[in-house]
Amino acid sequence: MLYWSIGRKVGQLKMKRKQRIHIAIDGPAGAGKSTVAKHIAERLSILHLDTGAMYRAMALKALRLGIEPGDAEHVLPLLPRTEITVENKNGIQHTYLDGEDVSVLIRTPEVAKGASDIGVIPEVRIKLAESQRQFAQEHDVIMDGREIGSFVLPDAPYKFYVTASAEERARRRLAELREKGLGMDKTLQSLQEEILARDHTDSTRAFAPLVRVPEAVLIDTTDMSIDDAVNEVLRCIIAGE
């Protein structure tokens, strides 16, 4: 009944507003926002854009060239000759770096840290935000990242801030790495320290920092299942105008 109601609601909104349906989800690393967004996209038959993957791709390019992702002096010259695109294939987002599918290659701890470091550079955020806004103009989309509701899609009618405790986020990350056979040198403590460091970097950067805008609904997933979190977001959308 819930999914039928939200589907009807979205249809009504499209007819009434005569504009794209945009849902913004922000939050720190490992909170589950991408997973929640992916499930909601499936339920509503709209597209999901994981913007963090785009920053990871940019960081991957820098690392491949021996450039520290946070080194603006050497990163900026890469921007005009870098193409980062996303494509949805059977409900799965594929991220392309200069035509190469790097969807798997960007899911390492090193690239994750690089994404946070490179995201501090304003010009990088501006370039990628332009691509993200263009994507939103062409599609009904649920978009997750760090500053979607505040910077990328400030006019999105539905905004959420998905978070969880640092310990729980580290536990999830460790399980994910182990499942993929990665990060065997990582411990729960080391991952928690990395997550807290990334939180600090993301929330204190001068340009477009991680922030919960006042109108964003807080979803704390620490003690929630994915289904519970998804249902909570859907209920909020149903209750909205």
Side-chain angles (χ1 to χ4, degrees):
M1 179 63 72
L2 176 64
Y3 297 146
W4 179 82
S5 297
I6 189 63
R8 184 179 63 175
K9 176 85 170 182
V10 170
Q12 291 173 341
L13 283 172
K14 288 180 181 179
M15 293 179 63
K16 179 180 179 180
R17 296 171 179 265
K18 295 182 180 180
Q19 64 184 37
R20 295 292 185 187
I21 300 301
H22 294 158
I23 304 170
I25 296 187
D26 291 302
K33 59 185 181 295
S34 290
T35 302
V36 169
K38 191 180 302 181
H39 281 273
I40 291 174
E42 292 174 356
R43 299 294 188 271
L44 304 186
S45 296
I46 62 177
L47 295 182
H48 165 230
L49 181 62
D50 171 10
T51 63
M54 301 175 75
Y55 289 93
R56 286 171 178 256
M58 191 70 224
L60 177 62
K61 178 159 187 173
L63 290 168
R64 281 177 164 179
L65 294 173
I67 298 172
E68 288 294 327
D71 183 353
E73 180 181 354
H74 291 92
V75 167
L76 291 182
L78 301 179
L79 295 181
R81 47 194 176 93
T82 300
E83 181 181 40
I84 297 173
T85 58
V86 295
E87 185 176 338
N88 189 283
K89 294 182 178 180
N90 299 318
I92 298 175
Q93 176 174 312
H94 289 256
T95 304
Y96 294 86
L97 172 62
D98 298 329
E100 176 190 359
D101 189 339
V102 295
S103 304
V104 175
L105 299 176
I106 60 176
R107 298 299 171 182
T108 67
E110 182 184 21
V111 174
K113 182 182 183 303
S116 184
D117 292 340
I118 211 165
V120 171
I121 304 172
E123 290 85 353
V124 172
R125 303 205 79 83
I126 290 171
K127 174 182 174 66
L128 296 184
E130 289 174 352
S131 298
Q132 292 154 13
R133 293 191 189 106
Q134 181 62 40
F135 188 90
Q137 288 179 7
E138 299 171 356
H139 305 283
D140 295 316
V141 64
I142 178 166
M143 195 178 296
D144 73 90
R146 300 293 190 277
E147 76 299 5
I148 306 305
S150 61
F151 177 63
V152 180
L153 298 178
D155 296 326
Y158 305 108
K159 297 179 182 180
F160 299 88
Y161 189 86
V162 176
T163 189
S165 70
E167 181 178 359
E168 175 61 18
R169 288 185 281 141
R171 186 192 65 77
R172 293 172 184 172
R173 181 59 177 156
L174 184 62
E176 179 185 359
L177 288 173
R178 293 290 187 267
E179 184 178 341
K180 296 178 179 178
L182 300 173
M184 294 305 173
D185 59 329
K186 301 293 184 180
T187 65
L188 185 64
Q189 181 62 32
S190 67
L191 283 173
Q192 185 169 335
E193 291 173 357
E194 289 178 8
I195 282 174
L196 289 173
R198 185 171 182 184
D199 287 351
H200 178 75
T201 299
D202 291 343
S203 61
T204 60
R205 62 176 178 248
F207 184 79
L210 166 66
V211 63
R212 177 192 172 192
V213 295
E215 63 270 27
V217 177
L218 177 65
I219 307 290
D220 189 331
T221 68
T222 302
D223 298 312
M224 298 177 74
S225 68
I226 292 299
D227 284 343
D228 288 340
V230 169
N231 286 338
E232 183 60 26
V233 171
L234 291 176
R235 289 190 188 96
C236 291
I237 294 175
I238 289 176
E241 290 297 330

